[in-house]
Amino acid sequence: EHARAQEALRRRDRLTAMGELASTVAHEVRNPLNAASITAQRLKREFLHSVPEGGPDRGELEELLSVMASETQRIDRIVQQFLEYARPPRLAREPVDLGALLREVAERASALAEARGVRLEVDASGAEAALADPAQLRQALDNLIRNAVDATPPGGRVSLAARRERGGHAIEVRDTGRGIAPAELPRIFDLYYTTKADGTGVGLAITQQIVTAHGGTIEKIIGDAIVAVF
């Protein structure tokens, strides 16, 4: 219990430090990002019409402006994730049917799983009602399931289950992927840490933040399973 309390304290300190860093990065990036977005809109509005229709310059300009707009939008979504991490909304607790929530989240992720050739299963037989923020809990589960699907090869399986545990609730996400290397375990919930080529390292950090806000922990990673207890 003492070791667990010390680890919880260290984790809380890391979360605080990472939240402050996320806020600083987000604010510093958002101003020049907004300027770039406004510039792209102005170029499209004021200069595109002056280029002859069908000309080679017109097509190239349209393509460049389209890339500029889409990339600024992509970066803005990442910045928004940083801000959500730095200033998480307060919990709006209400009675939540965990079984129904698990089935809903699985249904939302079914298209992604199907596209990857991964089977998605839900066992809600041990789920009970919990006092929680359904929107934030849904976000945390979305993050865990997406990571599990990404880590699972075609033909594999991702399973989602809930049960009562020590007077609280446990939600388990299990996959048949290659697992998490022991050296990576201490850092997988750190902000900006990711093993994906196109990852931002924000999703799992927000997941841990949401579970912690509910008074819980992602306290054990056993083999191919991540278990959140709250």
Side-chain angles (χ1 to χ4, degrees):
E1 289 296 327
H2 179 65
R4 185 177 298 172
Q6 285 186 320
E7 175 57 28
L9 182 60
R10 286 193 294 269
R11 184 180 300 153
R12 188 160 53 246
D13 288 343
R14 287 201 304 270
L15 288 174
T16 300
M18 289 188 294
E20 292 174 354
L21 176 60
S23 180
T24 300
V25 170
H27 284 293
E28 291 298 322
V29 170
R30 177 152 279 185
N31 287 338
L33 183 64
N34 286 338
S37 179
I38 292 171
T39 299
Q41 293 173 23
R42 182 176 176 184
L43 285 172
K44 186 174 183 179
R45 184 176 63 250
E46 297 183 9
F47 299 105
L48 189 60
H49 71 276
S50 64
V51 181
E53 287 281 356
D57 292 341
R58 172 80 178 223
E60 183 179 8
L61 183 57
E62 286 181 333
E63 182 179 354
L64 290 173
L65 289 175
S66 176
V67 169
M68 190 174 185
S70 63
E71 288 301 294
T72 53
Q73 290 172 4
R74 183 178 67 86
I75 298 173
D76 187 65
R77 287 193 296 270
I78 296 172
V79 169
Q80 186 59 39
Q81 284 184 313
F82 290 157
L83 288 175
E84 288 174 2
Y85 183 86
R87 297 195 304 269
R90 293 182 179 179
L91 296 183
R93 292 181 184 266
E94 61 182 74
V96 177
D97 181 341
L98 289 182
L101 183 65
L102 262 61
R103 287 188 289 269
E104 176 192 341
V105 171
E107 178 63 28
R108 289 170 52 175
S110 60
L112 173 64
E114 184 177 349
R116 301 288 177 86
V118 174
R119 189 166 75 257
L120 191 57
E121 301 175 347
V122 177
D123 177 10
S125 59
E128 297 184 6
L131 193 62
D133 184 317
Q136 293 197 50
L137 202 55
R138 191 179 296 111
Q139 180 183 3
L141 289 172
D142 277 341
N143 288 335
L144 290 176
I145 292 175
R146 286 179 179 276
N147 275 274
V149 170
D150 287 344
T152 304
R157 184 181 71 256
V158 171
S159 60
L160 186 60
R163 62 180 180 271
R164 291 286 294 181
E165 185 167 303
R166 294 203 308 270
H169 305 272
I171 297 177
E172 178 182 280
V173 179
R174 183 181 295 271
D175 65 69
T176 57
R178 63 179 178 84
I180 302 168
E184 296 174 357
L185 288 178
R187 301 185 60 193
I188 62 171
F189 296 107
D190 284 357
L191 189 63
Y192 309 135
Y193 181 76
T194 180
T195 58
K196 299 179 184 179
D198 58 347
T200 62
V202 178
L204 287 181
I206 290 177
T207 295
Q208 187 185 58
Q209 188 181 56
I210 290 171
V211 173
T212 300
H214 279 83
T217 57
I218 300 180
E219 67 173 28
K220 49 187 175 182
I221 302 175
I222 303 175
D224 55 4
I226 291 181
V227 183
V229 180
F230 64 97

